[in-house]
Amino acid sequence: MADEQQNTCVDCTQMSDCFRVLSKEELELVGQKMVRLSFRKGEIIAKQGAFATHIMFVKSGLVKLYRESENDQNDLIINIYAADNILGLSSLFGDSIFHYSVAALEDSSLCLIEINIVRELVGRNSDFSVSVIKRLSRNNLLAYEILYAVTHKQLNGRMASAMIYLAREVFESSGFTMPLSRKELAEFTGMSVMSAVRAMKDLRQNGLIGSENGRIEILDMERLEQISKFG
Amino acid sequence: MADEQQNTCVDCTQMSDCFRVLSKEELELVGQKMVRLSFRKGEIIAKQGAFATHIMFVKSGLVKLYRESENDQNDLIINIYAADNILGLSSLFGDSIFHYSVAALEDSSLCLIEINIVRELVGRNSDFSVSVIKRLSRNNLLAYEILYAVTHKQLNGRMASAMIYLAREVFESSGFTMPLSRKELAEFTGMSVMSAVRAMKDLRQNGLIGSENGRIEILDMERLEQISKFG
DNA sequence: GGAAAAAGTTGAGCCAGATCATGTTTTTGA
DNA sequence: TCAAAAACATGATCTGGCTCAACTTTTTCC
């Protein structure tokens, strides 16, 4: 964690649509209660159990949101977020404790915004609160989707779903550099590391995805979706 | 589905805290765009894939929110809601399609409120939108909790978690009449019917819960929580 | 009120996926 | 630059939980 810098926000060129609805005055308010931080790959951005004092806007990079395991050291990766996403919204009005951790998957830059100012914005700017509700809703439906996958699909189907999700939702491209280690891939799909390796091997051998030194290419989306649905 | 009746809302004695923040004028507006319906046990209240034209307030009774399976006939029960809960909020601002079904677990009475008026309320009453955000956040965190349970705990642990959840969150009492069939219990905990039966048998035989003709009693909450955590 | 249907129970066997063991490749850092 | 550590890969074995099968109990509805 380094490279701290105050930011005015008003003249920020890469702000989220969430903040685009704010007035100039409100943006200045945010700027005063905001700090921009750089995180190296692997660094923890928010710790499960800690006080939720801020929300996190991903300015650049890639982060994972995950739940830590109380027994073993197998976490559960709930979601992957690229730039332009906001994390921590589900802790806005609850017990003010993070019920998940967030860590950088690659070198990332985030804006941490004090939670009080965000609460205030929800109160005074209805466009902003609509935006918050939209994001929470999306996360909700996605969680249901994953829950269904984990309970009803088997290994290859879950891995296929994960590949499709990464391509479509995270990278918005049929090819991408795999940001997850095998262990993380296992934690994302709810299987053991060995099973994750085998599932990836299967998809590759059947010509569904290409995989060369860390670069993933979706080769046959149609069949991949078939497996994702019925595997 | 029967017993349709228009309702003024203004003089409703059992409204949700969500609506308590509305002005008299806003409540009248809701009343005009609302209809109260009775559902018999088993009846479907909202159908996955249908247009989301309304949100649902549970006035009395008990309902399940579940995802239908595309292949077999094993659904996934995501949550159980007693009176005073609102369902359908995660479809407020998305593609306007229900991504889940809702059905009555026992005879229930619900107020169906047009989604447009709810959207409008979010826009003009910030206390209302805070209330919506709170509910969405709770659902979010709960989904993460369940996701963790399904991937990291085994049969008895998941069943113990389900019993604790029903007692604490749904019925707010250590004793309750089991509203779920064995099949539904299996769909709620992500296991087969036979495994659900065995898990319940296990909990009963070990003196953790009492179970006589449909009545569940939590006998040893401490040990039950142990199993829920490490089982 | 009684037959048919649905729900619940229990044991036996099987299989998907976890674990174990072992070797290879890549990354890290002194 | 090179050795130690971490990540990756793969075959062998084991097991938790699913499926199958057979039976009992409860509910449904003519």
Side-chain angles (χ1 to χ4, degrees), chain A residues 37-107:
Chain A
L37 293 178
S38 293
F39 294 87
R40 300 271 199 77
K41 176 177 177 168
E43 280 188 319
I44 290 181
I45 298 162
K47 178 74 179 171
Q48 183 171 325
F51 286 114
T53 55
H54 55 272
I55 66 162
M56 295 151 272
F57 172 65
V58 183
K59 194 125 187 177
S60 69
L62 198 71
V63 304
K64 63 175 175 182
L65 186 147
Y66 62 104
R67 263 188 81 100
E68 296 185 22
S69 165
E70 32 230 42
N71 318 321
D72 44 59
Q73 45 261 34
N74 271 101
D75 299 334
L76 164 73
I77 297 182
I78 294 167
N79 210 344
I80 316 281
Y81 293 97
D84 211 42
N85 273 296
I86 301 173
L87 290 86
L89 289 178
S90 59
S91 306
L92 253 187
F93 291 107
D95 53 8
S96 290
I97 285 180
F98 286 130
H99 290 259
Y100 40 77
S101 292
V102 177
L105 284 171
E106 47 185 61
D107 294 356

Side-chain angles (χ1 to χ4, degrees), chain A residues 153-155 158 190-192 194-195 198:
Chain A
K153 297 176 186 172
Q154 40 202 46
L155 299 188
R158 302 215 294 274
M191 59 182 79
S192 72
M194 281 81 150
S195 292
R198 272 180 261 264

Side-chain angles (χ1 to χ4, degrees), chain A residues 129-141 144, chain B residues 16-19 46 52-58 65 81 84-100 102 111 113-122 127-140:
Chain A
S129 52
V130 165
S131 179
V132 169
I133 290 173
K134 274 185 189 165
R135 282 163 190 273
L136 283 171
S137 301
R138 250 178 65 91
N139 282 336
N140 244 296
L141 296 179
Y144 295 168
Chain B
S16 160
D17 60 309
C18 201
F19 297 111
T53 55
H54 55 271
I55 65 162
M56 295 150 273
F57 173 65
V58 183
L65 186 148
Y81 293 96
D84 211 42
N85 272 296
I86 301 173
L87 290 87
L89 289 178
S90 59
S91 308
L92 255 187
F93 291 107
D95 52 10
S96 290
I97 284 180
F98 286 130
H99 290 259
Y100 40 78
V102 178
C111 302
I113 305 166
E114 268 190 29
I115 210 160
N116 288 322
I117 181 70
V118 182
R119 287 198 188 114
E120 200 186 317
L121 288 176
V122 167
D127 288 335
F128 184 76
S129 52
V130 165
S131 180
V132 169
I133 290 173
K134 273 185 190 165
R135 282 164 191 271
L136 283 171
S137 302
R138 250 179 65 90
N139 282 335
N140 243 297

